[in-house]
Structure formats: structure tokens, C-alpha cells
């Protein structure tokens, strides 16, 4: 989401080269996690930084865990939503929709969201606040690490432009 994984892999590659390790990493940038998973699945790369539920990783094996991510369903302040069952006939904005297709399917199946007439709409992070304010979406689904850095990004994205920072 913010290039943190790329910076970390770049730092690891630098340390391997500096210590003259027999293994070297050559960083290949991709537009997103789905493309990284596809590059790995097709054999174009030997390692990929991806979530375990993105793309075809049937031949993958975890080498290192860079972060633990959490699925968040975020509603605007004052929204009368306390349970998934209260999302009937709602549109949910999904940040990273392409990478979250398996997650959307699991949630849809688990909570019978098709029958509840819930729809999912791809949403860019920069459009999240506007989509909530315009009532284009009732809530936003995203996956991120629960660290102060990412929670701060979430707070600033969900705050109206005139609201002060907390």
C-alpha cells in the first residue's frame, strides 16, 4: 500500500550484497500484490512479497513473515452498523479489490451477502472519504497491518478535510 515491503526487501538485498552472501536478491517492482503473485506462479520470479490469500500460491512456501494484516470493515462515525447483518442492500467499498477477491468470496459465503443484496465496489484509497461522504458506499473493507503507522494513515483518510487531527 505504501511501498514499505519494497523498501524492506531492498534493505535485505543490500545487506546480503554487503556481507557477500552467496544469495543475492534482485528487486522486481510490480503494480500490486496480485501481479507479484502471478509473477511467482508463472516462474518469472523466485520469491514474492504477497499475502497468503492472493493469487495462485499453490507452489509457494513462506520464507519470512513481514507483517500480520487484519481485515477491517470501517464505517463512518455515527453509522448505525454494529454487525455484518446490518449491511443488507449496502454497497461496500473495497480498497485493493483485485487482491481481495478471495476474501470477498469468503465473507459473501459466510454471511450470505448475496442474499442480503450486498455489493462490493473497488475503491482507491484516495477516494475512500469522498465515497463515504457521498454515500456511494456504506462501509469500506480493507486489509492492513495493525500498527500505529497504518492506523494513523487510516485515521487521516477517514477524517473529513475540516476535522482536526487527534
Amino acid at each position: 500500500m505504501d511501498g514499505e515491503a519494497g523498501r524492506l526487501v531492498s534493505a535485505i538485498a543490500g545487506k546480503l550484497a554487503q556481507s557477500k552472501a552467496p544469495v543475492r536478491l534482485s528487486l522486481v517492482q510490480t503494480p500490486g500484490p496480485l501481479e507479484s503473485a502471478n509473477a511467482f506462479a508463472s516462474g518469472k520470479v523466485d520469491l514474492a512479497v504477497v499475502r497468503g490469500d492472493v493469487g495462485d500460491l499453490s507452489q509457494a512456501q513462506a520464507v519470512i513473515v513481514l507483517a500480520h494484516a487484519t481485515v477491517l470493515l470501517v464505517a463512518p462515525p455515527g453509522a448505525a452498523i454494529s454487525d455484518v447483518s446490518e449491511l443488507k442492500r449496502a454497497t461496500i467499498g473495497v480498497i485493493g479489490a483485485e487482491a481481495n477477491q478471495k476474501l470477498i468470496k469468503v465473507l459473501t459465503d459466510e454471511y450470505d451477502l448475496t442474499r442480503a443484496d450486498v455489493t462490493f465496489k473497488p475503491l482507491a484509497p484516495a477516494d475512500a472519504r469522498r465515497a463515504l461522504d457521498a454515500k456511494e458506499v456504506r462501509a469500506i473493507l480493507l486489509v492492513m497491518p495493525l500498527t500505529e503507522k497504518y492506523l494513523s494513515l487510516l485515521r487521516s483518510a477517514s477524517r473529513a478535510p475540516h476535522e482536526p487531527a487527534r
Side-chain angles (χ1 to χ4, degrees), residues 9 18 21 24 30 42 51 80 99 103 107 111 115 118-119 121 127 134 137 140-141 143-144 165:
V9 172
Q18 181 184 23
R24 296 285 199 268
T30 62
S42 68
R51 286 189 349 228
L103 173 61
L107 291 172
Y111 294 101
R115 194 166 116 187
V118 173
T119 57
K121 174 183 179 172
D127 296 331
V137 298
I140 295 176
L141 178 74
V143 179
M144 66 177 217

Side-chain angles (χ1 to χ4, degrees), residues 76 91 121 123 127-140:
T91 298
K121 174 183 179 172
L123 203 56
D127 296 331
R129 181 76 231 178
R130 182 199 53 74
L132 283 169
D133 288 345
K135 303 206 184 314
E136 292 174 16
V137 298
R138 197 142 159 235
I140 295 176

Side-chain angles (χ1 to χ4, degrees), residues 1-2 51 53 66-74 94-96 99-100 103 125 140-158:
M1 181 171 12
D2 65 348
R51 286 189 349 228
D53 65 333
L66 297 177
H68 291 281
T70 301
V71 177
L72 298 174
L73 188 58
V74 180
V94 182
I95 295 178
N100 288 313
L103 173 61
I140 295 176
L141 178 74
L142 70 149
V143 179
M144 66 177 217
L146 282 184
T147 64
E148 188 52 45
K149 173 185 175 178
Y150 288 99
L151 290 171
S152 178
L153 286 170
L154 178 61
R155 280 187 212 104
S156 64
S158 63

Side-chain angles (χ1 to χ4, degrees), residues 11-33:
I12 292 169
K15 285 291 186 185
L16 289 171
Q18 181 184 23
S19 67
K20 298 186 181 7
V23 174
R24 296 285 199 268
L25 296 179
S26 176
L27 192 60
V28 176
Q29 291 285 353
T30 62

Side-chain angles (χ1 to χ4, degrees), residues 103-124:
L103 173 61
I104 291 168
K105 181 172 178 5
V106 167
L107 291 172
T108 299
D109 293 347
E110 180 67 25
Y111 294 101
D112 201 10
L113 297 179
T114 302
R115 194 166 116 187
D117 198 23
V118 173
T119 57
F120 293 91
K121 174 183 179 172
L123 203 56

